[in-house]
Amino acid sequence: MLKKMFSRTLLCTTIATAGLIGAGIASAAQTLRIVGNFPNDHTSSVAMEQFKAEVEKNSKGELKVAVFPAMQLGGAQENVDQVRSGAVFLTWISTAYLSRTVPELSVLSLPFRFENREQAFGVIDGPVGEQISAKLADKGFAALGYMELGSRHLTNNVRPVKSLDDLKGLKIRLQPDETHLSTFRAMGANPVTMDIKEVYSALQQGVLDGQENPLCRHPRPQLQPGAEVCVGHRPFL
């Protein structure tokens, strides 16, 4: 999966090649708040800390960065809304949560479009990425760059998925991207959009049969009771 980085002010070019973030306006106190929904030990959260270090170093301490990973200030969609309103400076977020604002982002989610990461980055670092960045700018965001979380995988606690027939009827949590949703509907599943912060309780209560994410983003073992089946697939980057 590709993720998008946004910022109204380019503060650190090195982080632009390492991750994707979205930013609002710096406060008068010169403390920039950046938010994310990944666990503290996740690579994206580590990258946020690197961003903090680079900003404070290159501004010679004139700018301070306060980092809020692990959904401390809300889930993914809430983070986007906070950036839009200027309540926070920056968020590290999946493109899926911006695809309704800029539908052209869904081109990155076309199933089985990319054979490998090099091909994907070749597209997004070229004219296609420039056009998407322009669309984001029209909506008040300035794109800094992209990163990946890896190919996506499916887990569920019902049955192994070895064919399309095995997907039929499974209630699978997906991100709010219409391309993802349409793809899983076409394959016979029953996709459900849900913020990651709600997935744990939904799995516990049987509202969901499973969920789909890159391996590095999959819920910890304790997050999905009975999730004994993990299916490797590569429809989306």
Side-chain angles (χ1 to χ4, degrees), residues 116-182:
N116 50 57
R117 64 188 303 274
E118 289 77 19
Q119 186 183 57
F121 276 108
V123 170
I124 203 59
D125 290 336
V128 171
E130 293 175 1
Q131 293 180 43
I132 291 175
S133 295
K135 295 288 184 180
L136 287 164
D138 290 342
K139 300 296 183 178
F141 298 100
L144 291 186
Y146 292 82
M147 71 174 286
E148 64 173 324
L149 288 181
S151 301
R152 305 184 71 85
H153 290 72
L154 171 70
T155 63
N156 80 92
N157 55 17
V158 177
R159 56 180 173 266
V161 177
K162 299 180 180 180
S163 69
L164 292 181
D165 287 340
D166 295 326
L167 273 173
K168 289 183 178 179
L170 290 182
K171 300 186 293 291
I172 305 297
R173 179 267 176 183
L174 300 178
Q175 296 182 104
D177 184 288
E178 190 55 42
T179 300
H180 286 199
L181 295 168
S182 296

Side-chain angles (χ1 to χ4, degrees), residues 74-144:
Q77 191 59 57
E78 291 168 301
N79 292 163
V80 171
D81 294 339
Q82 290 161 352
V83 169
R84 190 196 308 276
S85 69
V88 301
F89 175 72
L90 168 155
T91 189
W92 208 278
I93 205 72
S94 167
T95 54
Y97 291 94
L98 291 151
S99 62
R100 293 176 180 174
T101 301
V102 178
E104 289 82 358
L105 278 167
S106 290
V107 72
L108 304 178
S109 297
L110 290 174
F112 306 104
R113 176 61 185 83
F114 302 116
E115 290 292 329
N116 50 57
R117 64 188 303 274
E118 289 77 19
Q119 186 183 57
F121 276 108
V123 170
I124 203 59
D125 290 336
V128 171
E130 293 175 1
Q131 293 180 43
I132 291 175
S133 295
K135 295 288 184 180
L136 287 164
D138 290 342
K139 300 296 183 178
F141 298 100
L144 291 186

Side-chain angles (χ1 to χ4, degrees), residues 3-36:
K3 298 177 60 195
K4 188 70 185 170
M5 178 158 52
F6 311 80
S7 176
R8 294 185 188 275
T9 307
L10 180 59
L11 296 176
C12 179
T13 57
T14 55
I15 199 67
T17 64
L20 310 166
I21 38 186
I25 301 173
S27 69
Q30 298 299 297
T31 296
L32 313 180
R33 299 202 304 168
I34 65 177
V35 299

Side-chain angles (χ1 to χ4, degrees), residues 17 56 69 72 110 115 120 126 148 183 190 196 211:
T17 64
E56 293 181 351
Q72 292 182 41
L110 290 174
E115 290 292 329
E148 64 173 324
T183 299
N190 182 16
I196 192 68
Q211 56 91 49

